[in-house]
Amino acid sequence: MLSSCSFVRGGSLSSMRHLTSRCENVARNAGHAHRFSFYSSQPTMHGTTILCVKKEGKVCLIGDGQVSLGHTVVKPNAKKVRRINDTILAGFAGSTADAFTLMERLESKLEEHPGQLTRACVELAKNWRMDKYLRHLEAILIVSDLEQSYTLTGNGDVVEPHDGIIGTGSGGHYALAAARALIDQPGLDAEAVGRKAMNIAADICVYTNHNFVVEILEKKE
């Protein structure tokens, strides 16, 4: 396949870019997932795994603490789960600075629309997608109260799960699958399901550790 690409020495930058584009097109058309590039990329930042579980009047939002840069653990005890107020929890995966900016915007939307989590999330998602500054922020938010749980993204998505379980971040798919398998087990409340699922995710995903931060919401009798 590489024989279809003509590599030359001493070519101009524009020529090199043209050849790079040709190679990528050849690989793409042949069904190859790998893309060729003459330019080295920066190491990828892998953030925290976040899981939200809702069961029998209790909400557990749990996140691990590992932040990795390439093959290096940068921080083992990051805190990316927080309590916004007495009734709302939030967690994030992605850039920490970007996520805190979005958290501040969410808090302001909640002040504008008190007691209306859905409307606040929709308004934030609209601003996130349309604002010239916010649209470049790279993070995913999970927001939950006792009634609703949502995933918010920069594409304008406000997604509510059908089963009250949300997983995102580096090991989010593993945690989500484990939580769904455990949710119907008798004797396990939302926190127990969340902790067991995150332990499974941490055992599988190299970008997830066992330093968990947990926030709980529970209906008062």
Side-chain angles (χ1 to χ4, degrees), residues 4-218:
S4 300
C5 306
S6 301
F7 291 87
V8 295
R9 295 181 179 178
S12 65
L13 182 59
S14 61
S15 298
M16 297 289 281
R17 286 175 175 167
H18 175 69
L19 290 175
T20 300
S21 178
R22 286 183 57 192
C23 289
E24 289 179 345
N25 288 334
V26 169
R28 188 183 302 111
N29 293 335
H32 288 269
H34 180 72
R35 293 188 177 185
F36 302 96
S37 176
F38 290 105
Y39 312 103
S40 61
S41 59
Q42 294 295 323
T44 302
M45 177 73 78
H46 296 273
T48 302
T49 297
I50 305 293
L51 177 68
C52 181
V53 179
K54 185 185 300 181
K55 182 179 180 181
E56 298 174 351
K58 189 174 184 179
V59 176
C60 172
L61 188 61
I62 179 171
D64 83 301
Q66 181 167 314
V67 178
S68 304
L69 181 62
H71 302 295
T72 304
V73 176
V74 178
K75 186 176 178 67
N77 60 344
K79 183 177 181 180
K80 295 192 176 182
V81 170
R82 59 177 296 194
R83 184 180 295 267
I84 293 181
N85 55 39
D86 292 338
T87 61
I88 298 175
L89 305 178
F92 62 87
S95 169
T96 302
D98 291 355
F100 273 111
T101 299
L102 293 166
M103 288 279 200
E104 292 174 358
R105 295 297 182 101
L106 176 60
E107 290 177 0
S108 67
K109 294 299 180 184
L110 289 169
E111 291 175 358
E112 293 176 17
H113 311 289
Q116 302 180 64
L117 178 61
T118 301
R119 183 173 180 182
C121 289
V122 170
E123 292 298 323
L124 174 61
K126 287 167 57 178
N127 290 350
W128 191 352
R129 179 176 175 82
M130 299 176 65
D131 187 275
K132 291 182 179 180
Y133 168 69
L134 293 180
R135 72 176 59 168
H136 297 293
L137 301 183
E138 298 180 355
I140 296 177
L141 299 184
I142 293 178
V143 185
S144 181
D145 62 11
L146 285 169
E147 303 300 328
Q148 298 100 15
S149 300
Y150 298 107
T151 302
L152 282 67
T153 74
N155 294 324
D157 299 320
V158 180
V159 182
E160 182 176 18
H162 68 282
D163 54 4
I165 306 172
I166 303 174
T168 192
S170 301
H173 294 306
Y174 307 119
L176 177 63
R180 285 180 173 171
L182 294 166
I183 195 68
D184 293 330
Q185 294 299 308
L188 296 180
D189 63 4
E191 182 177 358
V193 171
R195 287 185 178 276
K196 284 181 175 291
M198 284 293 289
N199 273 308
I200 292 171
D203 288 341
I204 297 173
C205 178
V206 297
Y207 300 113
T208 304
N209 67 15
H210 291 82
N211 293 334
F212 302 142
V213 176
V214 182
E215 291 287 352
I216 302 293
L217 287 178
E218 194 167 7

